[in-house]
Amino acid sequence: MARQDRAERTRRTLLRAAADEMAEKGYAGASMARISTAADVTIGGLTFHFPSKAALAEAVRETGCALTCGALSSLMTASRIPKATARGELRRVVTFTRTLARLLEEEPTVRAAARLAWDFPEDGDTWYAMWLPSLSELVERAHPDFTGWTTAEAVTATAVSVVTGAEFAARTGVPRGVAAGLSPTAHVDHVWGLVLGARPPLLVGGDEYPENRPAGEDPAGGGHAGDHRVGDLRMPEHRVPEHRVGECRAGEGRVRAASR
């Protein structure tokens, strides 16, 4: 049992080191030797757990996709609960993109899974492909919120662009500890704020507005506390659930080693 525990700890350490390496340098630039050194595991120990760079990349991708799926599952479950009114569903689209940005900011395996999607675009089971159907479902449910103003295609395109920008912010800032510039979540808030005419951040959690504002005052100007205006749309409070690793299949596609 002790040997199994030690092996599992070693595997997790290798996955973390590989995720950091691949998120920053991509598949082609990732070095097995650097991953081995960062994890403080011999090359022999590395290849015992992962016989090739392709196998290691696939394990990193699967871990990042599982984390993403688990983080989004509560949000998607909540979105399917019937409500008295369909208004306010656009808020969930914003929350969805913000959840992805937070994962990109905090989880190396998620950053790596996103980076590998660009390295292997022909793979149908990429990090982007796994959450796009859920985004489409949320946009469809939000249709009453933007009818007569814009289209589902435009909202979906904006959401995808927001997440892509958040990934770029994570890739250039998070691995290097860069303090300047926007964090992935700040990027999401600023872009949605511009598009929807709202004051970022869009999710009301108490930290973005002064704690001493009058009780019952709407932080966006009038109304009830706990609500928030996005343009002319009032959206109810909805907190992002803590992410968890769900019982999710990350896909059957395997990352293929490219000839270099």
Side-chain angles (χ1 to χ4, degrees):
M1 180 61 89
R3 181 176 298 177
Q4 270 187 326
D5 291 342
R6 186 165 59 250
E8 183 56 33
R9 284 196 302 271
T10 299
R11 188 177 188 279
R12 287 197 300 266
T13 301
L14 287 167
L15 280 174
R16 172 63 187 253
D20 284 335
E21 176 82 358
M22 291 180 184
E24 183 171 354
K25 302 184 184 303
Y27 181 82
S31 161
M32 294 285 272
R34 281 196 300 268
I35 293 169
S36 169
T37 300
D40 196 22
V41 176
T42 65
I43 284 289
L46 170 56
T47 54
F48 173 79
H49 289 278
F50 305 102
S52 66
K53 185 162 76 167
L56 182 54
E58 178 62 14
V60 168
R61 186 189 71 83
E62 286 183 344
T63 302
C65 286
L67 278 170
T68 303
C69 186
L72 296 174
S73 62
S74 295
L75 177 63
M76 295 307 300
T77 299
S79 76
R80 296 180 184 117
I81 298 174
K83 299 196 310 181
T85 174
R87 305 293 289 181
E89 291 294 333
L90 187 56
R91 176 67 173 273
R92 297 189 195 275
V93 176
V94 176
T95 302
F96 186 93
T97 60
R98 206 171 193 270
T99 300
L100 292 173
R102 178 172 55 80
L103 288 167
L104 288 164
E105 188 169 344
E106 297 176 357
E107 299 290 347
T109 56
V110 174
R111 287 198 298 276
R115 176 67 182 266
L116 289 169
W118 294 104
D119 291 344
F120 296 93
E122 73 281 3
D123 186 343
D125 293 311
T126 66
W127 181 77
Y128 280 91
M130 66 157 291
W131 53 257
L132 278 171
S134 295
L135 173 63
S136 296
E137 179 182 335
L138 288 180
V139 172
E140 180 61 30
R141 290 175 182 274
H143 200 270
D145 288 344
F146 55 78
T147 299
W149 165 50
T150 188
T151 64
E153 291 78 11
V155 173
T156 301
T158 301
V160 172
S161 298
V162 162
V163 176
T164 304
E167 189 218 332
F168 178 78
R171 188 189 303 182
T172 57
V174 174
R176 299 174 178 81
V178 176
L182 295 178
S183 70
T185 49
H187 169 86
V188 168
D189 287 338
H190 280 271
V191 175
W192 279 119
L194 177 65
V195 171
L196 300 176
R199 202 163 97 192
L202 300 173
L203 300 184
V204 177
D207 54 346
E208 65 268 46
Y209 296 104
E211 289 295 326
N212 59 355
R213 67 175 179 266
E217 178 185 327
D218 177 7
H224 301 285
D227 287 353
H228 188 54
R229 284 189 185 277
V230 176
D232 293 325
L233 176 67
R234 181 171 298 286
M235 295 183 170
E237 168 65 15
H238 178 77
R239 285 183 177 274
V240 180
E242 287 300 316
H243 66 272
R244 56 184 175 76
V245 179
E247 296 296 326
C248 237
R249 194 164 175 220
E252 297 180 352
R254 291 291 179 262
V255 175
R256 295 170 293 281
S259 326
R260 305 297 173 194

